[in-house]
């Protein structure tokens, strides 16, 4: 059966993901699970918080008629109100249930927002390095991704963003804490971006939406991640509980519009319609009920800090160079040799599995996902040492 040429090409262009899986599986088969150090997947091994099981049991023990039926495509009013309450508090804005649509994770929320927004050929700025799926999501919804490189510390380069904006620019996606770099954008940067977008909106008589993709927002090792609504009027949060409640397989997230956004009511009608016609229909009913009372609960961030410190301290001591992440659960070091694919192949000889920076639009780097067991990190350290030694790093 022939498939669409575009999909065939997209499968090809992301074939490195499949290859990594295959290589990991083959190494595990050859050397045993214990002897392979897989840092490729942002799939937390941490279990959800205990509160989640209590809520789940409460729901299971108290079934109510109609709890498995279709609902308003935006989701349950009660769930949306609970989500809105916490955002209103964090952002100090009048966010209500009317500004929330529950979605099948942040991935669905991004597709819903982009579909609501884009006319064919409209441009969406993404900052390099970026989450792998952005380009596919933008293409799904007839848009064109425009890549803008971040600064050496992976913070947004406002001058470069300014140069990339034109009359076709409809949105910019910002992701903080960032996948793959772990950096957090300070409020001053968001405010400067807000001022820039406003200036450009005036210049072109357009509206440019800042889409804040923030599934790692509650995984910050310092102050709370600043709320985008306080800095950018035309802004929307897309997020999920995949990371903060460790529920990636359960597909529950939401989008939250800034109440001050231009034409917010029409925009919300659009997102509710798109949630329906993209075939998501609504976010899973059980998951919505489950997270309603968990809006102030998160996984233990200290566990991620410990994992970050363990790896960051050891790898920098060995001579690897990287920006110290302020949140999330990724490190994005510089490849010690120019061709990071070659570096990744060498690392595999030490049974260390990593993701090439090229996959994130940033060749010359590699990503470590450290949302893994401490024991695996500990077991991997002597192998990192040998790797550094082979590359002549440890001597530095
Ligand atoms: C930056 C970023 N955005 C979005 C997503 C998608 O998350 P979800 O599982 O909620 O769809 C991920 C998942 O890893 C991510 O890292």
């Amino acid at each position: 059966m022939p498939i669409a040429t575009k999909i065939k090409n997209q499968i090809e262009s992301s074939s490195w993901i499949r290859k990594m899986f295959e290589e990991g599986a083959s190494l595990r088969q050859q050397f045993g699970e214990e002897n392979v150090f897989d840092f490729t997947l942002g799939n937390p091994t941490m279990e959800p918080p205990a509160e989640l099981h209590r809520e789940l049991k409460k729901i299971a023990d108290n079934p109510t008629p109609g709890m498995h039926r279709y609902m308003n495509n935006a989701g349950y009013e009660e769930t949306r109100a609970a989500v809105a309450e916490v955002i209103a508090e964090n952002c100090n804005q009048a966010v209500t249930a009317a500004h929330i649509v529950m979605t099948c994770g942040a991935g669905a929320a991004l597709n819903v927002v982009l579909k609501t927004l884009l006319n064919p050929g409209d441009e969406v700025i993404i900052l390099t390095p970026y989450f792998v799926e952005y380009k596919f999501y933008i293409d799904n919804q007839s848009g064109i991704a425009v890549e803008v490189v971040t600064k050496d510390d992976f913070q947004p380069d406002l001058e470069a963003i300014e140069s990339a904006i034109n009359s076709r620019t409809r949105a910019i996606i910002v992701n903080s804490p960032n996948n793959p770099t772990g950096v957090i954008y300070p409020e001053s940067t968001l405010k400067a971006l807000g001022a820039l977008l406003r200036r450009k909106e005036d210049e072109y008589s357009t509206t440019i939406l800042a889409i804040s993709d923030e599934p790692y927002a509650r995984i910050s090792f310092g102050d709370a991640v600043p709320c985008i609504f306080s800095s950018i009027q035309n802004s929307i949060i897309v997020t999920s509980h995949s990371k903060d409640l460790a529920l990636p397989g359960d597909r529950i997230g939401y989008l939250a519009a800034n109440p001050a956004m231009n034409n917010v009511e029409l925009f919300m009608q659009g997102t509710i319609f798109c949630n329906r016609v993209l075939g998501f229909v609504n976010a899973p009913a059980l998951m919505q009920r489950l997270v309603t009372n968990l809006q102030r609960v998160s996984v233990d961030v200290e566990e991620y800090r410990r994992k970050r410190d363990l790896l960051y301290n050891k790898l920098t001591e060995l001579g690897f160079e990287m920006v110290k992440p302020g949140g999330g659960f990724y490190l994005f070091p510089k490849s010690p040799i120019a061709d990071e694919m070659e570096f990744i192949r060498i690392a595999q000889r030490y049974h260390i599995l990593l993701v090439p920076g090229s996959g994130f639009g940033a060749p010359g780097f590699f990503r470590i996902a450290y949302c893994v067991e401490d024991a695996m990190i500990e077991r991997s350290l002597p192998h990192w040492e040998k790797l550094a030694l082979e590359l002549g790093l440890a001597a530095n």
Side-chain angles (χ1 to χ4, degrees):
M1 174 58 133
I3 64 168
T5 312
K6 184 165 90 177
I7 298 301
K8 221 166 120 196
N9 293 340
Q10 288 180 337
I11 293 172
E12 288 282 297
S13 75
S14 61
S15 64
W16 56 272
I17 299 178
R18 196 185 58 233
K19 212 161 150 260
M20 261 171 17
F21 270 118
E22 287 167 359
E23 279 163 4
S26 139
L27 278 177
R28 271 187 277 272
Q29 213 170 26
Q30 261 180 287
F31 301 102
E33 190 82 34
E34 294 281 291
N35 299 311
V36 177
F37 317 108
D38 189 343
F39 293 103
T40 57
L41 278 183
N43 194 8
T45 54
M46 208 186 276
E47 291 300 324
E51 289 91 332
L52 185 131
H53 297 284
R54 276 208 295 276
E55 279 300 307
L56 196 54
K57 196 154 184 320
K58 217 161 74 189
I59 297 168
D61 289 344
N62 298 284
T64 51
M67 68 184 275
H68 299 292
R69 293 187 192 141
Y70 289 127
M71 71 200 72
N72 179 338
N73 300 115
Y76 290 122
E77 178 77 18
E78 190 194 4
T79 308
R80 291 154 61 218
V83 167
E85 185 182 294
V86 174
I87 301 179
E89 221 173 86
N90 291 347
C91 298
N92 205 15
Q93 302 269 341
V95 181
T96 68
H99 303 111
I100 311 293
V101 175
M102 300 306 295
T103 63
C104 300
L110 278 161
N111 273 285
V112 165
V113 168
L114 291 166
K115 185 173 178 67
T116 305
L117 198 65
L118 299 181
N119 286 310
D122 281 348
E123 295 184 3
V124 179
I125 293 176
I126 56 175
L127 305 180
T128 307
Y130 47 76
F131 174 53
V132 183
E133 309 294 52
Y134 288 158
K135 283 173 121 178
F136 297 122
Y137 293 170
I138 292 166
D139 179 79
N140 283 348
Q141 312 309 338
S142 316
I144 293 174
V146 176
E147 293 178 37
V148 174
V149 179
T150 51
K151 295 192 284 194
D152 286 349
D153 57 1
F154 300 128
Q155 290 292 330
D157 180 339
L158 294 181
E159 277 177 29
I161 293 171
E162 176 156 15
S163 310
I165 296 176
N166 61 53
S167 60
R168 291 182 307 278
T169 307
R170 291 288 279 139
I172 175 168
I173 301 179
V174 289
N175 169 220
S176 162
N178 187 268
N179 174 8
T181 65
V183 305
I184 295 177
Y185 303 159
E187 183 151 46
S188 55
T189 302
L190 296 179
K191 288 221 180 295
L193 178 62
L196 166 63
L197 294 179
R198 184 171 282 264
R199 191 151 46 77
K200 288 289 169 183
E201 286 176 333
D202 286 347
E203 183 179 336
Y204 294 114
S205 302
T206 54
T207 303
I208 305 172
L209 184 67
I211 304 170
S212 183
D213 176 27
E214 35 185 89
Y216 305 91
R218 294 190 198 164
I219 306 177
S220 161
F221 309 132
D223 296 338
V225 174
C227 175
I228 192 100
F229 295 170
S230 317
S231 300
I232 307 183
Q233 182 200 336
N234 289 315
S235 58
I236 187 153
I237 293 169
V238 293
T239 188
S240 73
H241 296 298
S242 294
K243 320 289 173 173
D244 59 29
L245 291 176
L247 290 177
D250 288 312
R251 314 308 303 138
I252 184 70
Y254 56 87
L255 60 89
N258 186 339
M261 172 199 294
N262 294 346
N263 295 321
V264 69
E265 274 173 34
L266 178 63
F267 184 82
M268 291 312 293
Q269 279 172 26
T271 58
I272 295 165
F273 174 78
C274 290
N275 204 30
R276 176 183 125 205
V277 300
L278 278 169
F280 302 118
V281 182
N282 54 249
L286 176 61
M287 287 303 126
Q288 290 192 52
R289 290 188 191 284
L290 182 64
V291 301
T292 303
N293 293 326
L294 298 175
Q295 288 306 306
R296 295 173 197 279
V297 176
S298 289
V299 291
D300 182 5
V301 173
E302 285 311 304
E303 283 209 29
Y304 283 126
R305 185 204 294 274
R306 196 181 60 242
K307 291 173 202 292
R308 176 202 65 173
D309 288 348
L310 196 60
L311 267 172
Y312 175 84
N313 292 344
K314 181 69 182 179
L315 295 192
T316 47
E317 181 193 309
L318 289 174
F320 288 95
E321 288 173 39
M322 72 202 82
V323 172
K324 189 171 189 177
F329 43 61
Y330 305 101
L331 291 164
F332 200 60
K334 207 180 222 170
S335 168
I337 47 181
D339 177 1
E340 96 270 15
M341 298 304 284
E342 178 59 21
F343 167 73
I344 291 208
R345 273 191 289 275
I346 298 172
Q348 267 178 19
R349 296 214 297 267
Y350 297 91
H351 305 174
I352 298 171
L353 305 180
L354 304 163
V355 185
S358 324
F360 307 94
F365 292 85
F366 63 95
R367 191 190 73 172
I368 299 172
Y370 59 82
C371 48
V372 294
E373 305 286 353
D374 283 12
M376 193 199 91
I377 300 178
E378 299 274 8
R379 280 198 310 275
S380 78
L381 298 181
H383 297 257
W384 282 104
E385 265 174 39
K386 287 184 208 148
L387 173 63
L389 201 66
E390 168 167 346
L391 296 168
L393 286 180
N396 293 336

